[in-house]
Each structure stands twice: as C-alpha cells, then as structure tokens.
Amino acid sequence: MKKIKSQSLSEEVRQEILNYIKTSYDGKDNKLPTEEQFCEILGVSRITIRTALNTLANDGIIFRRQGKGTFINPQAVSMKVQFNPVSLFSDMIVQCGYKPGIKLLDSHDSTADREIAKALEISEGDEIVVAKKIFLADEKPCAFCVDYFPTSLLKSPADLKLMGEYPNSLFDFLDARCGRRVEWDRTEITTVTNADHPELTEHFQCQKRIKSFLLLDCINFDGNDRPVVYAQEYIDTNYIKFNSIRQKAYQN
Amino acid sequence: MKKIKSQSLSEEVRQEILNYIKTSYDGKDNKLPTEEQFCEILGVSRITIRTALNTLANDGIIFRRQGKGTFINPQAVSMKVQFNPVSLFSDMIVQCGYKPGIKLLDSHDSTADREIAKALEISEGDEIVVAKKIFLADEKPCAFCVDYFPTSLLKSPADLKLMGEYPNSLFDFLDARCGRRVEWDRTEITTVTNADHPELTEHFQCQKRIKSFLLLDCINFDGNDRPVVYAQEYIDTNYIKFNSIRQKAYQN
DNA sequence: TCCGATTTGTACGTATGTATT
DNA sequence: AAATACATACGTACAAATCGG
C-alpha cells in the first residue's frame, strides 16, 4: 500500500525547508543556502525551490534579498499565533503556552436576522443553527465563539446530534457531514467591552470589572466561495495575542 | 523623454488587471478572462500573467480554481481597510468615509526602557525620540499613535525640526532624512480600555465612559531587516475597521 | 570607480498533471 | 470521453542588486 495522494513537490520542499529552519536556526546566522544549493541538496529544479521559498516569504517566515540571499526572519520564529493563516483555537492556546479546553454551551435552532442573512447569502427568516462555545486556557475562559450556519446545510436534522463528535472545530463537522470544507474567511476586526455585551460578563467571569475584548467577525467560505459559517469570536487578548508580518503598501 | 525606470512587466500587468476588475465588475459576473486570453489581450507570456494573478490572489482580491477559471472576490471589493498590506492612517480614514485630519501632540527626547530597547535592538538607556499624534476622522479622534525611534538615526539633532514637514507619516521623514525606508512590520494585536491607559481618556474625550481600543504594537523594519520605529497605535474601531482575507491553515 | 562573482528577480518556452464542465 | 483551464515542473536566458577586490 502506498500513499493515496502525495502532495506537490514544492509543498514537500516547503516543509523540508521549514524543518531545516526549525532545526538549524541558532539565533545568530540566519542566512539560508542559496537557491542553487537547495537545488542540489533536495534534487529538484530551481523553479520548485523558488515556489517553496516564495510561499515561506509570503508568510513572513523568510526574507529574500536580491544579490544577497535568503534569510530566516528571526521575528517570525518568535511569533506564537499567526493572524493569517488561521489555525484552530485549541492549537493557538497551546502555542500560547496554556492547556487547552472547550466548553460547549448550547446549540439551538433559530432564524436569520438581517445581518446574518446577508453574511450567509440566505433570506431573512431562513432557518439557522446557532452554536456557542467557550475555549479555555488553563481552565480559564479565553475566547467565546458564536457560530451561525444555515440549517439547510444538514442532510437530516438528526445530523445535529453528531456535532458533539467534532468538538475541536465546527469546520470539521461541516466538512465531514455536509461536504462543505471551509477554505478562507473574510474577517472584520473590532473591539468590544463586556459593558456592551452583558453575555461576556457572565462567560468571562468579569464580575464588576470592565474588560475589553477583540471581536473577530468572520464569514467563512468554502472552495466555491459560498458562505458556510458566520462566526463571532470574542477573544481575551491577555491569553491569545495574534501576531502578523505585514508589508507596507507603498506604491512600487 | 521616456520613463526613467519602468516597473516590472508583471507589476504593470497586475495594475492593468486590477484596473480591469475595478472598471468592469458589475456585481454579477465575477469570472475573469482565462490566462490564455489575458496573454493575448496584454501581449505577454502566460508566466507573466500568472505572476500577476498570483499576487492578486495572495491579497485575496481574486480566487483561482483549477478547471474553472479565475474569479473576482466580491468580498474583497467591498473591503474598505485591509489589515495587510498596511496603508497610511490618513488613507484609511478616507477609505472609511471620513475627512482625515492630524494633530501633532509633541515630540521629545527620552531614553529607551527595556521593552523599547528590545524592540529597537538598542541598549537600555540609549537616547530615543518619542513622537505622539492623533488622527482625526471628521474632526473626531479615531487613532492615537506613539512612535519611538533611536536618536542615532538622525544625521543631526536639527533634523528633528523638519519632522513637521512630513505630517502624514513619520516613515516619510525617516526615509527622506535618514535613508531608512520602512518596508514591513511585525504587529501584535491586543485590546485595551481607557481605564487601563488614562491617557486615552483625555485624547479620545471619553469622559467617564469606559471604551475599548484596538492596540497594535508594531516594530517597523527597513529593507535590511533592521528595526527603525517602534509604534503603539491605539485605534477606535468605531471609525476604523480592519478587514482581512485569511486562508485556513489546514495541512495541505 | 569599476569590474567580476554571487545571488535573487523576471521572463520566455514547453510539457504534463489535475479538476471542472 | 473530450474540451477547457488552472497547477506544477523543467530548462534557459538575461536583468538587477550586492559585495569584494
């Protein structure tokens, strides 16, 4: 028996180089082998190496300087949670140095209001499922998520009971049970306080203190660019701090 | 007379395609011409077209589907302020539909504390310049920025007085006067309230109300990956809402 | 200051693979 | 099954930036 499907050559190369970075980087010399050297080491063409290196450069992991070479970005090595690409909350919590946990609050049927209908490209009043959960870092609440998706995605109403089998991510459930795999999202970044949203006071055990939260409003799309889930993620940035490498948008 | 220096062919193509998107997109048919068609239209090779399209796809402007074609991302068209790449505050304010303004508060000499020294890769106690400014949206404060940079960047102390000539961006000043062009940053995303930072109450005219702010901690680097400016940007997300297209980090 | 070596950037041609219709 | 369209990969050539002599 062999692998059903091997990933692309450049993706393999990307992982090899990423592994090379992780194991070889000593904090001092951040210069990587040249493209030609990588060609010889890994036995592939320069274009394959370049594809892999460009992907890494796009994520801010490395930098490429014409005439000089390719360098590990020490800043990226120290980044715990990347804002893009998105990973699972449970992974982010681990990356921040905490023990992850999840508390499923409830999931119930409802109907779409205007905002949700617009996000999910359905009609106002259409049936939706609302699921709420809290993520824990060392037993303490660090994120509160409300997910909305159209009931019509389910093949049968009974499917809803299977949601508990995919606790880590609603996306796994929708992928496995409904064949709708989320591949990207459109996120709006705002902030709120528990004074604005009383529900937060309860979930984050704020008592009388007013705290601020990062609110990520995410519309999640599948590979055909159809909306699958609308999510509101309230995040305590004392636990989860996102990092990002950003390019400056000067005209070229 | 001709252009002194033409940008790269693929960058030209990128702008052509971006222009095509902006002028031709009617909200309905979001399919773009095929790679081959673009080759003929623009008279360049397929690899050049692909380079341009891949750049646009990376920014989330378009999506590419094997076997189907290349499509405009309607979500991106409606995005006002992109989180990455970074643009100037004055531009972001305009994009959000407000009249931009700036209030320079003060700039004074100081010495680096541990946090700032670490960010700027200098020694604790080294001399730095601290500059504070407030950005206005329709005359109302929407962002408060504190910039720190090493005094040693200046060729002469008198340069400091010229900062007022570059009100839009400290980066322009440092590029023009010190030859240090900021090309990327490493940002940490957190939230704060004016209760945590009393200075915010004053600048944002909060009175007794407790409001939340987005805090972007940015270390800004030049093309040689040396830190240039450390910036703390306190943003009122009622005015400036960042948007981002994010890929999901499933393993491939 | 200039030249050459090194290294990445850009661009073309070509062929084949894979997903979609 | 065939046509379409993007993905991957190889080879090649030259341009542009960097650095040392």
Side-chain angles (χ1 to χ4, degrees):
Chain A
M1 296 284 283
K2 284 203 178 179
K3 278 189 289 188
I4 304 278
K5 164 88 174 68
S6 85
Q7 54 202 347
S8 74
L9 191 51
S10 51
E11 171 59 20
E12 258 183 87
V13 168
R14 195 193 128 261
Q15 290 177 14
E16 277 299 321
I17 296 176
L18 198 54
N19 194 45
Y20 177 91
I21 289 171
K22 283 182 185 163
T23 55
S24 78
Y25 182 53
D26 60 356
K28 285 181 192 167
D29 179 25
N30 67 335
K31 184 161 191 322
L32 285 174
T34 69
E35 295 180 352
E36 290 297 340
Q37 287 168 335
F38 269 130
C39 290
E40 284 195 22
I41 295 169
L42 299 171
V44 297
S45 76
R46 191 180 154 207
I47 207 170
T48 307
I49 297 291
R50 281 184 61 79
T51 302
L53 289 175
N54 285 335
T55 306
L56 290 168
N58 256 317
D59 289 345
I61 311 286
I62 60 172
F63 283 100
R64 327 201 56 202
R65 303 289 169 216
Q66 191 171 358
K68 294 175 80 173
T70 305
F71 304 87
I72 298 167
N73 181 358
Q75 292 292 326
V77 174
S78 70
M79 281 177 25
K80 289 185 204 140
V81 180
Q82 298 220 130
F83 184 66
N84 184 11
V86 196
S87 50
L88 297 178
F89 268 106
S90 44
D91 292 338
M92 294 194 286
I93 292 165
V94 171
Q95 283 157 24
C96 288
Y98 302 101
K99 188 170 76 68
I102 300 187
K103 201 157 57 173
L104 297 171
L105 291 183
D106 74 326
S107 60
H108 62 270
D109 296 316
S110 182
T111 54
D113 65 19
R114 223 177 117 215
E115 180 198 15
I116 293 167
K118 192 182 163 206
L120 293 176
E121 293 172 18
I122 57 178
S123 302
E124 214 174 319
D126 282 2
E127 289 196 358
I128 57 170
V129 178
V130 182
K132 299 184 181 184
K133 62 178 82 165
I134 288 177
F135 290 90
L136 306 170
D138 287 355
E139 317 296 342
K140 290 188 196 122
C142 64
F144 167 59
C145 298
V146 188
D147 293 316
Y148 307 85
F149 63 90
T151 310
S152 59
L153 291 189
L154 300 173
K155 283 167 191 144
S156 85
D159 276 356
L160 209 50
K161 288 173 193 147
L162 299 171
M163 256 180 68
E165 293 177 19
Y166 305 84
N168 272 326
S169 170
L170 175 63
F171 298 162
D172 285 345
F173 167 75
L174 291 171
D175 184 11
R177 307 300 312 177
C178 312
R180 296 288 288 267
R181 183 182 173 84
V182 170
E183 299 206 339
W184 59 281
D185 75 21
R186 175 212 208 273
T187 298
E188 185 171 84
I189 305 171
T190 50
T191 64
V192 294
T193 68
N194 52 319
D196 306 322
H197 292 247
E199 199 174 14
L200 297 175
T201 303
E202 176 196 344
H203 296 318
F204 285 95
Q205 304 158 3
C206 298
Q207 278 91 26
K208 303 222 161 171
R209 205 172 127 60
I210 296 185
K211 291 172 65 176
S212 60
F213 297 91
L214 186 68
L215 169 56
L216 300 182
D217 267 300
C218 311
I219 311 176
N220 294 277
F221 295 84
D222 68 9
N224 295 309
D225 310 331
R226 291 173 303 182
V228 179
V229 180
Y230 175 60
Q232 295 166 331
E233 305 177 342
Y234 299 87
I235 297 162
D236 184 338
T237 58
N238 293 307
Y239 291 99
I240 300 178
K241 292 187 217 293
F242 286 102
N243 290 114
S244 184
I245 304 284
R246 306 189 299 172
Q247 308 301 316
K248 299 290 173 178
Y250 302 122
Q251 64 299 344
N252 281 3
Chain B
M1 296 282 285
K2 286 204 176 177
K3 278 188 289 188
I4 305 275
K5 163 90 174 68
S6 84
Q7 53 203 345
S8 75
L9 192 52
S10 51
E11 171 59 20
E12 257 182 88
V13 168
R14 194 193 129 261
Q15 290 176 14
E16 277 299 321
I17 295 176
L18 199 54
N19 194 45
Y20 177 92
I21 290 173
K22 283 182 186 163
T23 56
S24 79
Y25 183 53
D26 60 356
K28 282 182 195 167
D29 178 24
N30 67 335
K31 184 162 190 322
L32 285 174
T34 69
E35 296 181 352
E36 289 298 340
Q37 287 168 336
F38 269 130
C39 290
E40 283 195 25
I41 295 170
L42 299 171
V44 296
S45 78
R46 194 179 152 208
I47 205 167
T48 306
I49 298 291
R50 281 184 61 77
T51 303
L53 290 176
N54 284 334
T55 306
L56 290 167
N58 255 318
D59 290 345
I61 311 287
I62 59 172
F63 282 98
R64 328 200 57 201
R65 303 291 169 215
Q66 192 172 357
K68 294 174 80 174
T70 305
F71 303 86
I72 298 167
N73 181 358
Q75 293 293 327
V77 174
S78 70
M79 279 177 28
K80 289 184 203 140
V81 180
Q82 298 220 131
F83 185 67
N84 183 11
V86 196
S87 51
L88 297 177
F89 268 107
S90 44
D91 292 338
M92 293 194 288
I93 293 166
V94 170
Q95 283 158 25
C96 288
Y98 302 101
K99 187 170 78 66
I102 302 188
K103 200 157 57 171
L104 297 172
L105 292 183
D106 74 326
S107 61
H108 62 270
D109 296 316
S110 182
T111 53
D113 65 16
R114 226 178 115 212
E115 181 198 15
I116 294 166
K118 193 182 160 203
L120 293 176
E121 292 173 20
I122 57 177
S123 303
E124 214 174 319
D126 282 2
E127 289 196 356
I128 57 171
V129 178
V130 182
K132 299 183 180 184
K133 61 178 81 165
I134 289 176
F135 290 89
L136 306 170
D138 287 354
E139 317 295 342
K140 292 195 193 113
C142 64
F144 167 58
C145 298
V146 188
D147 292 317
Y148 308 85
F149 64 89
T151 311
S152 60
L153 291 189
L154 300 173
K155 283 167 190 147
S156 86
D159 277 357
L160 209 50
K161 288 173 193 144
L162 299 170
M163 257 181 68
E165 294 177 19
Y166 304 85
N168 271 328
S169 170
L170 175 63
F171 297 161
D172 285 345
F173 167 75
L174 291 171
D175 184 10
R177 309 299 312 175
C178 311
R180 297 286 291 266
R181 183 182 173 84
V182 170
E183 300 207 338
W184 59 281
D185 75 20
R186 175 214 209 272
T187 297
E188 185 171 84
I189 305 171
T190 51
T191 64
V192 294
T193 68
N194 52 319
D196 306 321
H197 292 246
E199 200 175 13
L200 297 175
T201 303
E202 177 195 343
H203 297 318
F204 285 96
Q205 305 158 2
C206 298
Q207 280 91 25
K208 304 224 164 173
R209 205 173 126 61
I210 295 186
K211 292 173 64 177
S212 59
F213 297 91
L214 186 67
L215 168 55
L216 300 182
D217 267 298
C218 310
I219 310 177
N220 294 277
F221 295 83
D222 68 9
N224 295 310
D225 310 331
R226 292 173 302 183
V228 180
V229 180
Y230 174 62
Q232 294 166 331
E233 306 177 342
Y234 300 87
I235 297 162
D236 185 339
T237 58
N238 293 307
Y239 292 99
I240 299 178
K241 293 188 216 291
F242 287 101
N243 290 114
S244 183
I245 303 284
R246 308 189 297 173
Q247 306 303 314
K248 299 291 173 179
Y250 304 121
Q251 63 300 342
N252 281 3

